[in-house]
Amino acid sequence: MINIKQNITKIFPLSIIEKYKFVKINDVYYITLIFYDFPSEVIPFCLLDFVFSGGNVLCSQMITPLEKPSVLIAIKNRIAALSAKRHSDFSKGRLRDSSLDMEIAKLEDFSYSLISGNSKGFLMASYITLFNRNLSKLNVLSNNIQMLAESKGFTVHQLDLNHVEGFLYSLPLATYSKYPGMVYESQSLSALNFLSVGNRCDYDGILYGENVLSKALCILDIFKLENYNSVIFAKSGAGKSFLAKATIVRMISKGIKVIVIDPEGEYVKLCKSLDGKLVKFSSKFKGNNNYTINPLDLSQDESIEDKISFIEGFLKKYCTRFDKNILDKALLKLFREVNFPTFFDLYNILKDFKSIMADEIFPIAKGSLSHLYSKKTNIDINKRDNLIVFDISDLTDDNIPLMMYVILNYLWKLKDFSVKRQVFIDEAHRLFDNSELLNNLKSLTKRARKYSMGFCYITQDIGDVIDTDKGRSIIANTSLKILLKQDKINFEKLSHALSLSSEELRILTNLPIGSSLMLYNDIHTRIKHFAFEFEKKLFI
């Protein structure tokens, strides 16, 4: 039998006690806060920090579409008032207030957007009602919310003596707020929605982690983005290698071929665990056990002009007395007269030309490094290799960027339309300190998408990457950017290169190890990265 009295008390409270600072309904205390003002610059989903603040909250927003003429009149009046204040300050000899200029400019942009039909005007009032059975805990939560709001540039006030109304506004009753809201255009309104969350869940995607705000899993298919390139920026110890290794494991499980250029020997264990192909280059000569890539190998679809450009870039980095004209003549003679050229053949031609460059390339032509560059390429890569790791950790610091450059050129010859591939380049900043290497890298990054290939650049030296025009161009051609914890010294560069707001820079300062700000398709999302135990055993 239904207990009518018990069910009625669940709908109609037995008691409502309203005080100055709260309202008590039955045995639960309620406090309502209203947003009176928002900062001039906000990021999408910024209000979710209030929703997931750790307490019991009811959130509501009352949004009313406005007629265009009334909004335009309000904008016109506001601009007139601000202009009058600016003129008054000028006539009194006061310093010019730049904030007035900024507000006028934003109002003019808003007006133009309304007139052109690109956006609409809305009136919005936002409320948060906090509740708890313990009044002391409720007051602590209220103070925390107000301090959080202040740190983000929001203006929040308690509805003192009006908490019953505030409580009703937070319920889904579609009641009209008597408190004045603020006028927003469409784009700003979308960023200030309590319910907006940057979740991504692609059917064939890779698990990147957990959305910090919504607690949903972030599953992203990079091959569905504009291009397939990505970057991972982080300070030392922030978890970039951990994230890269976990991503590699998951990509391989999805049938994506992965190639790693490993200057530190960090991916050797992962390669062995997954039965991948390990190609280890060594400065020491080991007879027939050495791996070699002949940079002078000419593939069927590669022109002599492209090969000459590549070799010139390689030797310009290697030689201190570089002579482009002599080298150009020597390379043309080499490709005309020798079917399978090596640096030993180029050395002999430069010797015949009496060029000082002959002595400079001696180490790679006949000397201590000839086993790396001046023999027939002996790397056997086939379609069955799901993971290939090029371990170059045994090379000297001077030779590592050169070998990275040669490996990238070699991989480009293996392009295959039918297979999705990702190339992970760890310590990528080593490639960014030479203009010739950057030119080649920029070209590869732009063309990779045509061949179902993507590059993932992993680095902690952000300055080396974004201090140059070519480096910024490479970053601009990456659809996915993962920013783990950063040093403050890089904030200005990051803000300029990636158009980050001051709030996002604050987030980057306080990110815990293993968490990131992920940027893709104009969406900025905070992600907590993790790996399962069976994945950790593969690379830790």
Side-chain angles (χ1 to χ4, degrees):
M1 183 175 180
I2 298 175
N3 189 328
I4 297 176
K5 182 178 180 180
Q6 183 180 0
N7 282 275
I8 287 177
T9 57
K10 291 180 180 179
I11 303 172
F12 301 99
L14 294 177
S15 66
I16 298 178
I17 302 173
E18 184 172 23
K19 298 290 186 179
Y20 181 72
K21 291 289 185 181
F22 63 87
V23 60
K24 183 179 181 182
I25 302 176
N26 291 342
D27 58 345
V28 180
Y29 296 92
Y30 295 84
I31 292 176
T32 297
L33 308 173
I34 181 173
F35 287 84
Y36 270 101
D37 197 9
F38 291 88
S40 58
E41 188 181 75
V42 295
I43 62 173
F45 328 122
C46 58
L47 291 185
L48 283 178
D49 285 338
F50 297 97
V51 177
F52 298 106
S53 56
N56 300 316
V57 298
L58 295 171
C59 302
S60 69
Q61 288 177 315
M62 301 178 186
I63 301 170
T64 307
L66 298 175
E67 296 292 333
K68 185 187 296 185
S70 61
V71 180
L72 290 173
I73 291 172
I75 291 174
K76 181 180 178 181
N77 293 337
R78 180 61 176 163
I79 291 176
L82 293 173
S83 299
K85 185 178 187 312
R86 184 170 60 182
H87 180 73
S88 175
D89 290 345
F90 177 76
S91 63
K92 293 176 182 178
R94 295 173 181 169
L95 292 175
R96 190 181 184 98
D97 188 350
S98 59
S99 63
L100 289 178
D101 297 335
M102 291 176 61
E103 188 170 353
I104 290 173
K106 289 179 180 179
L107 287 169
E108 289 173 343
D109 290 341
F110 185 14
S111 176
Y112 176 78
S113 182
L114 284 171
I115 294 171
S116 61
N118 293 329
S119 64
K120 296 181 180 180
F122 298 87
L123 187 70
M124 181 180 75
S126 300
Y127 300 90
I128 292 183
T129 295
L130 316 173
F131 60 96
N132 200 300
R133 296 180 186 275
N134 186 305
L135 183 58
S136 298
K137 291 182 179 179
L138 184 61
N139 286 326
V140 170
L141 177 60
S142 177
N143 290 334
N144 290 341
I145 291 286
Q146 292 181 68
M147 285 190 292
L148 175 64
E150 185 178 350
S151 70
K152 290 176 172 290
F154 295 90
T155 302
V156 175
H157 296 301
Q158 283 192 188
L159 288 181
D160 293 334
L161 284 178
N162 289 290
H163 289 288
V164 172
E165 287 184 353
F167 170 72
L168 294 175
Y169 289 150
S170 298
L171 298 178
L173 302 176
T175 54
Y176 183 75
S177 170
K178 74 174 186 180
Y179 296 97
M182 296 184 64
V183 177
Y184 298 94
E185 48 94 17
S186 309
Q187 186 174 359
S188 299
L189 190 70
S190 64
L192 293 170
N193 194 324
F194 279 122
L195 302 179
S196 295
V197 182
N199 286 336
R200 180 83 182 216
C201 187
D202 294 332
Y203 177 74
D204 289 325
I206 301 300
L207 174 64
Y208 279 89
E210 177 188 72
N211 189 309
V212 172
L213 297 176
S214 69
K215 309 304 179 185
L217 296 179
C218 178
I219 302 175
L220 174 68
D221 185 357
I222 195 170
F223 291 94
K224 289 183 179 178
L225 300 182
E226 185 178 358
N227 59 62
Y228 314 144
N229 305 315
S230 59
V231 291
I232 301 176
F233 285 150
K235 65 185 295 185
S236 179
K240 60 183 184 299
S241 294
F242 181 92
L243 170 60
K245 292 170 186 174
T247 304
I248 288 170
V249 171
R250 294 161 188 170
M251 283 188 169
I252 291 173
S253 70
K254 286 288 185 178
I256 300 169
K257 308 291 184 181
V258 176
I259 300 164
V260 182
I261 300 178
D262 182 11
E264 303 290 340
E266 288 190 64
Y267 297 81
V268 173
K269 181 178 179 180
L270 176 62
C271 183
K272 292 179 179 178
S273 298
L274 295 177
D275 196 24
K277 186 175 186 64
L278 180 63
V279 179
K280 185 176 180 65
F281 293 95
S282 176
S283 297
K284 299 177 182 178
F285 178 67
K286 300 178 181 178
N288 294 328
N289 293 324
N290 285 100
Y291 282 108
T292 301
I293 295 180
N294 180 8
L296 290 165
D297 280 344
L298 195 64
S299 60
Q300 292 181 348
D301 60 345
E302 188 176 19
S303 68
I304 291 178
E305 290 77 12
D306 287 342
K307 176 59 70 176
I308 289 176
S309 175
F310 165 73
I311 296 299
E312 286 177 349
F314 175 83
L315 292 181
K316 192 171 184 179
K317 173 70 177 174
Y318 191 81
C319 299
T320 57
R321 294 171 290 182
F322 181 79
D323 189 330
K324 187 178 188 305
N325 293 330
I326 293 294
L327 181 60
D328 194 64
K329 293 177 183 177
L331 288 171
L332 286 173
K333 180 178 174 65
L334 176 72
F335 287 117
R336 279 199 305 264
E337 297 180 359
V338 183
N339 289 330
F340 302 101
T342 64
F343 275 116
F344 178 73
D345 301 308
L346 179 61
Y347 167 82
N348 289 331
I349 293 175
L350 289 172
K351 202 76 172 170
D352 292 341
F353 285 177
K354 298 183 173 17
S355 170
I356 56 176
M357 289 182 64
D359 292 334
E360 295 227 56
I361 71 167
F362 179 84
I364 62 176
K366 296 178 64 177
S368 59
L369 299 176
S370 60
H371 62 281
L372 292 174
Y373 303 112
S374 194
K375 297 184 181 298
K376 183 179 179 181
T377 301
N378 60 356
I379 301 173
D380 180 25
I381 293 179
N382 56 61
K383 292 185 177 181
R384 294 191 301 275
D385 296 321
N386 293 320
L387 174 62
I388 304 166
V389 174
F390 290 91
D391 179 9
I392 54 178
S393 57
D394 278 357
L395 302 183
T396 62
D397 288 342
D398 290 338
N399 278 297
I400 282 177
L402 289 173
M403 182 54 78
M404 294 171 78
Y405 183 55
V406 170
I407 291 170
L408 285 171
N409 182 263
Y410 169 73
L411 294 176
W412 192 248
K413 299 176 185 178
L414 306 177
K415 49 185 179 285
D416 185 347
F417 293 94
S418 63
V419 180
K420 292 180 180 178
R421 288 186 297 169
Q422 274 284 309
V423 181
F424 286 76
I425 306 173
D426 205 356
E427 303 295 328
H429 60 273
R430 294 173 182 260
L431 287 168
F432 285 76
D433 61 351
N434 181 276
S435 60
E436 299 297 327
L437 302 188
L438 270 179
N439 275 332
N440 190 269
L441 197 60
K442 178 182 174 183
S443 176
L444 292 178
T445 304
K446 283 187 173 181
R447 293 184 292 158
R449 186 182 186 280
K450 297 178 182 179
Y451 304 100
S452 299
M453 181 188 292
F455 291 93
C456 178
Y457 302 102
I458 308 165
T459 183
Q460 64 187 35
D461 293 333
I462 299 170
D464 291 343
V465 179
I466 59 182
D467 278 348
T468 65
D469 290 338
K470 293 185 179 69
R472 286 191 292 272
S473 176
I474 290 173
I475 300 306
N477 278 283
T478 58
S479 290
L480 175 63
K481 302 170 182 67
I482 301 176
L483 310 178
L484 289 92
K485 192 176 181 69
Q486 304 291 327
D487 284 320
K488 288 185 178 180
I489 194 172
N490 294 316
F491 276 11
E492 185 176 348
K493 296 175 182 178
L494 278 172
S495 178
H496 179 70
L498 303 177
S499 300
L500 298 179
S501 68
S502 56
E503 171 65 13
E504 288 171 325
L505 294 177
R506 185 192 67 81
I507 289 172
L508 288 176
T509 308
N510 301 312
L511 279 175
I513 294 174
S515 294
S516 76
L517 184 66
M518 184 181 287
L519 285 59
Y520 60 92
N521 287 354
D522 295 327
I523 294 175
H524 297 190
T525 307
R526 287 162 59 187
I527 300 295
K528 178 183 177 182
H529 304 285
F530 61 87
F532 299 103
E533 286 302 318
F534 76 90
E535 292 175 324
K536 292 178 184 177
K537 291 178 182 179
L538 297 174
F539 54 80
I540 293 180

